[in-house]
């Protein structure tokens, strides 16, 4: 059990190190707490013995350990409402009724990456109870069109596709066939149904059947696999913790590894903080994450940064986004 003064010292060291990325010495703490340097050094030594602080090789100051960050997050952190400027920027996104929910989510995470200089990750997917309602195409010119997929929960995805040397009449016949055979199918079963029910007979209706089938198959694959979006990965380069080529290559490789990123997915609706070795991505980072769930979508949103992360701000921003995701879908459904 830490004393009040030990808690104050630990909190000040964490906050100063987050801001300046430099070890914190007793001189600064003396000014803040109005006590002697001998007292501060004694308390810092105690916190070091408790594995809450670490001494660096380059300075007599101290930095928080993983255990120190954990103690700070669990007992000392005080998340506040996000500031007015941050709130206004995010509200502009969520109050834009022309944006789909997925667009709001991606734009808001991009904005948070810019605000914090951290990396944002969205692991989103259509809810398992979504069923295909309709497939449609909208021609753009003689060879390009927009393929649109709509679920019974109102989730819409669209993708630009190209059909060279295929008539619009053939495309429409393929769309009719797909709608006749697979409308009502759960989204995660659509690709399988295309393979076993549409592929064997599409040549009866469409001359360029291989091209048309493969294109629509890829549209559905993209729809069901479109569940990872990494925003602001280059922000890692701004963090002094990642100042070596090896560390940069390592973390960039992990941010490009879909299987590894899927391990971040969570079923916990609370904001959770995983520091260093606690997370499944990399022991040099902290991941702050939560689950979002709406009638048509569910997934995980996460912020990845150094262990020297501005925890209070990140937790507040993530809570704000989570609430606005759910509120926007509720408003959209009214």
């Amino acid at each position: 059990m830490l004393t009040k003064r030990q808690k104050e010292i630990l909190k000040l060291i964490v906050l100063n190190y987050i801001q300046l990325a430099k070890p914190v010495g007793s001189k600064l703490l003396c000014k803040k707490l109005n006590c002697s340097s001998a007292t501060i050094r004694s308390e810092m030594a105690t916190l070091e013995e408790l594995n809450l602080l670490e001494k660096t090789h380059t300075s007599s100051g101290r930095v928080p350990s993983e255990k120190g960050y954990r103690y700070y997050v669990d007992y000392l952190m005080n998340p506040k409402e996000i500031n007015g400027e941050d709130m206004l920027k995010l509200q502009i996104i969520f109050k834009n009724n022309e944006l789909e929910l997925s667009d709001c989510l991606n734009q808001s995470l991009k904005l948070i990456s810019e605000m914090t200089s951290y990396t944002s990750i969205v692991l989103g997917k259509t809810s398992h109870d979504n069923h295909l309602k309709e497939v449609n195409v909208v021609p753009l010119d003689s060879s390009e069109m927009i393929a649109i997929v709509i679920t019974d929960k109102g989730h819409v995805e669209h993708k630009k596709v190209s059909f060279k040397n295929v008539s619009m009449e053939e495309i429409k016949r393929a769309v009719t066939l797909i709608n006749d055979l697979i409308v009502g199918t759960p989204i995660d079963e659509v690709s399988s149904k295309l393979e076993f029910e549409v592929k064997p007979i599409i040549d009866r209706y469409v001359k360029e059947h291989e091209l048309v089938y493969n294109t629509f198959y890829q549209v559905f694959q993209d729809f069901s696999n479109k569940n990872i979006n990494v925003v602001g990965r280059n922000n890692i380069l701004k963090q002094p913790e990642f100042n070596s080529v090896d560390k940069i290559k390592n973390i960039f490789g992990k941010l490009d590894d879909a299987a590894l990123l899927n391990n971040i997915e969570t079923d916990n609706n609370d904001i959770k903080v995983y520091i260093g070795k606690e997370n499944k991505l990399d022991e040099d980072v902290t991941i702050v994450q939560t689950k979002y769930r709406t009638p048509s979508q569910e997934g995980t949103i996460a912020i990845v940064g150094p262990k020297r992360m501005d925890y209070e701000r990140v937790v507040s921003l993530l809570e704000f986004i989570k609430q606005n995701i759910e509120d926007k879908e509720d408003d959209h459904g009214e």
Side-chain angles (χ1 to χ4, degrees):
M1 185 70 178
L2 300 187
T3 66
K4 182 179 178 181
R5 184 160 58 198
Q6 288 167 348
K7 290 178 182 178
E8 289 175 342
I9 290 172
L10 178 59
K11 185 172 183 178
L12 282 170
I13 290 176
V14 170
L15 293 177
N16 274 273
Y17 189 60
I18 285 170
Q19 184 178 6
L20 302 174
K22 295 179 180 178
V24 181
S26 59
K27 187 176 180 180
L28 174 66
L29 298 173
C30 287
K31 293 178 181 178
K32 296 274 189 180
L33 299 176
N34 194 28
C35 34
S36 71
S37 59
T39 299
I40 295 295
R41 284 196 297 270
S42 174
E43 296 286 33
M44 290 171 74
T46 300
L47 291 169
E48 191 175 352
E49 288 173 5
L50 294 170
N51 296 319
L52 297 170
L53 295 180
E54 296 174 343
K55 199 169 187 176
T56 67
H57 298 296
T58 57
S59 166
S60 60
R62 305 296 198 284
V63 300
S65 64
E66 280 190 19
K67 186 177 177 182
Y69 283 122
R70 171 50 59 197
Y71 190 96
Y72 166 76
V73 168
D74 290 346
Y75 303 110
L76 306 178
M77 185 174 70
N78 183 29
K80 307 174 183 68
E81 282 193 8
I82 66 174
N83 67 51
E85 185 179 353
D86 289 351
M87 183 181 293
L88 180 61
K89 289 177 179 177
L90 289 166
Q91 283 179 334
I92 289 172
I93 294 172
F94 283 104
K95 290 185 181 297
N96 186 343
N97 292 327
E98 294 182 2
L99 291 178
E100 295 290 338
L101 180 61
S102 57
D103 295 326
C104 285
L105 182 56
N106 289 328
Q107 285 192 26
S108 62
L109 268 293
K110 181 180 179 183
L111 183 58
I112 283 188
S113 283
E114 293 170 357
M115 290 174 174
T116 62
S117 293
Y118 302 145
T119 300
S120 302
I121 298 175
V122 185
L123 300 169
K125 59 187 177 184
T126 314
S127 296
H128 293 303
D129 59 351
N130 268 249
H131 293 69
L132 181 66
K133 181 180 179 181
E134 183 184 358
V135 180
N136 212 334
V137 291
V138 177
L140 296 176
D141 55 36
S142 60
S143 62
E144 284 193 328
M145 57 198 69
I146 300 292
I148 302 169
V149 178
I150 305 171
T151 76
D152 61 337
K153 300 293 185 182
H155 184 59
V156 180
E157 288 286 346
H158 51 80
K159 180 183 179 181
K160 184 186 288 188
V161 294
S162 178
F163 288 108
K164 292 183 179 178
N165 303 318
V166 182
S167 69
M168 190 62 204
E169 184 179 342
E170 282 195 293
I171 301 300
K172 287 182 177 179
R173 284 203 296 267
V175 169
T176 298
L177 178 64
I178 291 170
N179 280 323
D180 286 346
L181 291 178
I182 65 176
V183 161
T185 302
I187 287 298
D188 52 4
E189 297 175 17
V190 164
S191 294
S192 175
K193 202 157 186 177
L194 276 171
E195 180 76 20
F196 293 106
E197 296 193 23
V198 175
K199 188 176 183 179
I201 63 171
I202 193 172
D203 60 336
R204 303 177 198 170
Y205 304 88
V206 180
K207 183 178 178 182
E208 298 292 336
H209 55 90
E210 284 191 18
L211 172 62
V212 173
Y213 172 82
N214 289 335
T215 300
F216 276 108
Y217 185 84
Q218 190 59 54
V219 167
F220 282 107
Q221 283 291 97
D222 290 348
F223 179 81
S224 57
N225 292 334
K226 189 182 176 183
N227 66 334
I228 300 177
N229 187 18
V230 180
V231 181
R233 75 183 67 216
N234 287 344
N235 286 336
I236 291 291
L237 301 176
K238 300 176 183 178
Q239 309 302 331
E241 291 86 347
F242 295 90
N243 58 1
S244 73
V245 173
D246 287 343
K247 280 195 172 185
I248 292 169
K249 284 182 177 178
N250 178 57
I251 192 63
F252 270 39
K254 290 178 178 178
L255 290 174
D256 287 330
D257 188 332
L260 196 57
L261 291 178
N262 274 318
N263 287 330
I264 297 175
E265 190 170 5
T266 181
D267 288 324
N268 200 306
N269 290 315
D270 298 327
I271 304 286
K272 290 292 185 182
V273 179
Y274 298 98
I275 303 167
K277 295 181 179 68
E278 297 171 357
N279 74 70
K280 298 177 180 178
L281 182 65
D282 188 278
E283 64 179 28
D284 287 328
V285 304
T286 282
I287 299 177
V288 183
Q289 65 188 72
T290 189
K291 186 180 184 68
Y292 68 90
R293 181 182 283 114
T294 71
S296 68
Q297 295 184 51
E298 64 180 61
T300 298
I301 48 179
I303 309 296
V304 179
K307 289 181 282 188
R308 184 190 51 80
M309 176 186 277
D310 189 346
Y311 292 94
E312 291 186 359
R313 189 181 188 203
V314 169
V315 168
S316 299
L317 286 168
L318 210 55
E319 184 62 54
F320 184 83
I321 284 188
K322 173 184 168 68
Q323 187 60 54
N324 275 270
I325 292 169
E326 293 165 357
D327 288 348
K328 183 176 180 68
E329 180 110 337
D330 288 343
D331 292 343
H332 202 62
E334 288 179 358

